[in-house]
Amino acid sequence: MSTIDITHVSKAYSQLQALDDVSMTIEEGEVFGLIGPDGSGKTSLFRIIATLLLPDKGSVTVDGHNTREGMRAIRKIIGYMPGKFSLYEDLTVEENLHFFATLFGTTIEDGYDSIKAIYSQIEPFKDRRAGALSGGMKQKLALSCALVHQPKVLLLDEPTTGVDPVSRKELWDMLGMLKARGITIIAATPYIDEIRRCERVAYLDKGQLRGIGTAEEILTEYKSVFNPDHLSTVEHTEEKEPVIEVQHLVKTFGTFHAVNDISFSVQRGEIFGFLGANGAGKTTAMRILTGLSQPTAGKGRVLGFDVSKQYEDIKSHIGYMSQRFSLYEDMTVAENLRLFGGIYGMSRNEIKKKTELVLNELGMEQQRDSLVKSLPLGWKQKLAFSTAIFHEPGIVFLDEPTGGVDAATRRQFWQHIYKAAERGITVFVTTHYMDEAEYCDRISIMVDGKISAIGTPDELKHKYQQSDMNGVFTLLARNSTRNE
C-alpha cells in the first residue's frame, strides 16, 4: 500500500528547472532514499511533499491527501527534518522541543512515549542551549522535534551532513527503530553506507529521475557517480621540515578542557588528516592553529610563528577553506579571485597573472564573468580551493570542505589537493568521510580533547586490526568518556 504518490511533478524557479516530470511511489513503512548531487531537486521535492511548496505541474498525495487541498491534514502526519536541523540555537533543548510540540497542537508529555528512546539520551542536558550542543546531540534533538507529534511520515533532508561516522550510525539505528513502528521514512544522503540502509532509492539529477530501485541496483548502475574508483596515491614533494609544531597544547573553557595536552608536528608538503568525532576538540585546535584563538597553555608554531603571540602573522601566511566554500555568490569568478588576491596583499600585476593561470587550470575561462551563484557545486568547490591557495601559502587549512558533496565531485576535489601538495603546499584537512582519510599521508584522531592515534592510514589499520579507516575511527571514537 502506497503512502506517497508523486505523479508527473515539475517545479521551476525562474529559468532553473528544479524538477522535471518526476513520478514515483513510496510504500507504507518503507525506508526510501533520495540521492543525487547538490542541485538535483531533492530539497524541492521534500518541500513539495511537506506542503511548503506547490508543484507547477503534476500532483502529490500523502496518505490519500492531495498537497493542494489537504495541506492541514498532511502537516499533522508529516515530520520534517531539513538539512540545517531547523533548531533555534538560542533556545534550550527543552524549549525547542516545547516550541515544536506547540506548533503541532500537542505537548511534550503527550508525545513523550514516541520520542523517549531518542530524547532520553539528551534529556539530562535539557537546560543547555541548542547552539552549545555537539553535532550528534543537535541531530537527536532535531529528530525528537520532528517526531513529537507522532507523525506517520518522516522526511529527512541530509540529516547527517557534517556529523561524524559514529553519530551517523546511531541516527540510522534510530531510524530502524522508527521503521519497526511503521513510520514511513524518506531520507536524502550522500553517504554510501547510508544509501545501503535504504530499501529502495531514487536517483535524481538536474531535476530528472534517472533511476529507481534497490540501493545495490542503483549504486551498481551508476557506479561512476556514487562509488568511483579510489584515487591512486600520488607522489608529491615532502620535505622533512616541520611547518606545524605543537607541544602540550591546552585550551580550556572554565573547567572544561576542549583541547587537553596535545603534541604533534606536520611536515612541509604533507597531506595531514585531522579527524575526530563531533565534540572531540578538533575545531578548537584548528582555530588555534589558524590564529583565530589562543591556547590556555602549551606551545605551538605555524610556519615559524608563535600561536600565542603572532596569530595575526599566521592569518596572513595561510590559506583557509570552510565547508561553506567562502565565496561571494553575487560576484563573478574573476572578481572573487581579485578580491582574495587583494586581501592577501598581492600586487595588481600578480593578481592579473595568477587569475589567468587559475582560470586556465580550472578550465573556467568561459566563466570568468559568470556570477558564482550560477556555477555548479563542483565548480564552486574548485574555485573556493583556488582562492584559498591563490597567494601560494605555506599551509592551507580545509575544514570539512566536501561536506554533503557527491562522491564523484569529492574525488575531483582531491585531485586538486594532490596538485597543491605536489607544489609543496601543506594540506591540513578535517573530514567525516573516511574514504578521504585514506588519501592523507598521515592522520591523527582526537578523542576527548586528546590525540588517541597518529600515523599513516596503513599503520593505523594494521595497529588496530581494521580493514578500513571507518573501522579505526569507530573503534577509537567509541572509547570516548567525555559527557556531551
Side-chain angles (χ1 to χ4, degrees):
M1 178 180 175
S2 64
T3 294
I4 298 175
D5 290 294
I6 300 165
T7 308
H8 300 297
V9 165
S10 294
K11 182 67 182 179
Y13 307 100
S14 187
Q15 301 301 312
L16 175 65
Q17 191 69 41
L19 293 168
D20 185 7
D21 195 26
V22 172
S23 297
M24 66 182 77
T25 297
I26 299 163
E27 303 299 324
E28 183 178 357
E30 186 174 23
V31 179
F32 189 90
L34 283 182
I35 60 177
D38 190 71
S40 61
K42 302 186 299 294
T43 296
S44 292
L45 189 56
F46 273 125
R47 291 175 64 82
I48 288 172
I49 296 171
T51 74
L52 300 175
L53 282 177
L54 288 175
D56 298 331
K57 297 178 181 178
S59 65
V60 175
T61 59
V62 180
D63 199 34
H65 303 284
N66 188 283
T67 56
R68 293 182 184 276
E69 296 85 25
M71 180 186 300
R72 290 184 179 276
I74 290 173
R75 291 185 177 182
K76 291 180 180 179
I77 62 171
I78 286 274
Y80 182 33
M81 183 174 165
K84 304 300 183 205
F85 296 125
S86 68
L87 297 174
Y88 292 89
E89 300 217 335
D90 289 334
L91 297 182
T92 66
V93 168
E94 188 174 50
E95 286 169 342
N96 266 279
L97 189 58
H98 175 72
F99 173 77
F100 281 92
T102 302
L103 279 182
F104 290 105
T106 187
T107 65
I108 296 176
E109 292 73 24
D110 287 343
Y112 190 80
D113 286 344
S114 65
I115 62 171
K116 180 179 180 180
I118 301 166
Y119 183 61
S120 62
Q121 299 176 45
I122 56 173
E123 195 169 11
F125 311 98
K126 65 182 182 180
D127 295 324
R128 184 179 295 183
R129 289 188 177 184
L133 301 176
S134 70
M137 289 180 73
K138 284 182 178 179
Q139 188 184 58
K140 292 168 186 172
L141 175 56
L143 189 56
S144 297
C145 290
L147 291 169
V148 69
H149 62 297
Q150 304 178 56
K152 293 182 178 180
V153 178
L154 181 62
L155 307 178
L156 306 173
D157 191 358
E158 296 194 1
T160 57
T161 295
V163 179
D164 67 83
V166 173
S167 296
R168 289 198 295 108
K169 185 178 184 304
E170 287 179 351
L171 177 111
W172 278 83
D173 289 344
M174 293 176 200
L175 296 185
M177 176 186 66
L178 296 176
K179 172 183 166 55
R181 284 169 28 193
I183 296 176
T184 303
I185 299 167
I186 309 170
T189 177
Y191 295 96
I192 300 300
D193 59 324
E194 295 182 2
I195 292 173
R196 289 197 166 105
R197 296 188 71 161
C198 300
E199 293 164 275
R200 287 190 305 141
V201 297
Y203 167 35
L204 291 172
D205 181 34
K206 297 178 181 177
Q208 295 184 335
L209 179 63
R210 304 295 186 185
I212 190 166
T214 67
E216 289 305 323
E217 287 170 348
I218 299 300
L219 291 175
T220 300
E221 185 175 357
Y222 297 98
K223 181 179 183 298
S224 62
V225 176
F226 295 103
N227 199 17
D229 295 333
H230 275 220
L231 287 172
S232 300
T233 303
V234 176
E235 293 295 326
H236 56 259
T237 302
E238 184 179 325
E239 303 173 16
K240 295 299 180 182
E241 174 191 347
V243 291
I244 297 177
E245 300 173 275
V246 173
Q247 297 175 329
H248 305 293
L249 205 64
V250 174
K251 180 67 175 183
T252 60
F253 299 96
T255 59
F256 178 69
H257 285 62
V259 175
N260 192 6
D261 193 14
I262 64 172
S263 300
F264 66 95
S265 64
V266 180
Q267 310 303 313
R268 184 177 302 279
E270 188 173 21
I271 301 176
F272 188 81
F274 199 58
L275 310 185
N278 297 105
K282 66 181 187 302
T283 298
T284 301
M286 181 179 268
R287 286 179 58 82
I288 293 172
L289 296 177
T290 55
L292 297 174
S293 179
Q294 286 70 60
T296 305
K299 298 179 180 179
R301 301 189 76 82
V302 176
L303 295 170
F305 299 108
D306 190 318
V307 297
S308 297
K309 302 174 183 176
Q310 297 173 292
Y311 39 86
E312 293 301 330
D313 292 304
I314 291 174
K315 293 176 188 176
S316 62
H317 285 81
I318 63 171
Y320 178 76
M321 177 182 169
S322 73
Q323 187 175 344
R324 303 292 179 187
F325 303 146
S326 310
L327 295 172
Y328 290 87
E329 297 261 312
D330 290 326
M331 295 174 65
T332 68
V333 170
E335 287 170 344
N336 267 275
L337 291 171
R338 285 198 297 271
L339 173 65
F340 281 92
I343 290 173
Y344 292 129
M346 298 171 66
S347 69
R348 288 187 178 181
N349 192 45
E350 286 177 315
I351 292 172
K352 184 177 179 181
K353 289 181 179 179
K354 191 60 183 288
T355 296
E356 298 305 319
L357 180 62
V358 168
L359 291 176
N360 180 263
E361 287 180 347
L362 297 179
M364 294 177 65
E365 296 96 332
Q366 301 301 314
Q367 286 73 38
R368 169 194 295 272
D369 298 319
S370 298
L371 293 178
V372 166
K373 64 183 178 183
S374 70
L375 299 177
L377 178 64
W379 288 26
K380 287 182 184 179
Q381 192 184 47
K382 291 186 291 185
L383 179 62
F385 182 62
S386 294
T387 61
I389 62 173
F390 194 69
H391 58 308
E392 291 293 318
I395 304 171
V396 61
F397 289 87
L398 307 177
D399 190 5
E400 295 182 29
T402 57
V405 179
D406 65 90
T409 303
R410 290 194 292 110
R411 188 180 188 278
Q412 293 170 7
F413 182 77
W414 273 84
Q415 290 175 325
H416 289 278
I417 290 179
Y418 277 178
K419 289 179 182 178
E422 287 173 1
R423 302 207 304 268
I425 296 176
T426 302
V427 179
F428 190 100
V429 58
T430 70
T431 180
H432 285 316
Y433 290 98
M434 292 301 105
D435 60 326
E436 293 185 351
E438 303 272 3
Y439 297 154
C440 299
D441 296 313
R442 285 191 306 140
I443 297 162
S444 74
I445 299 177
M446 286 192 73
V447 178
D448 292 348
K450 297 178 178 290
I451 291 180
S452 291
I454 190 167
T456 69
D458 285 342
E459 287 171 349
L460 295 180
K461 286 184 287 187
H462 177 74
K463 179 178 180 179
Y464 295 101
Q465 299 181 330
Q466 298 293 318
S467 61
D468 55 31
M469 282 307 303
N470 188 62
V472 175
F473 183 94
T474 301
L475 180 69
L476 293 173
R478 283 186 168 160
N479 290 330
S480 173
T481 58
R482 176 181 281 179
N483 288 327
E484 294 270 15

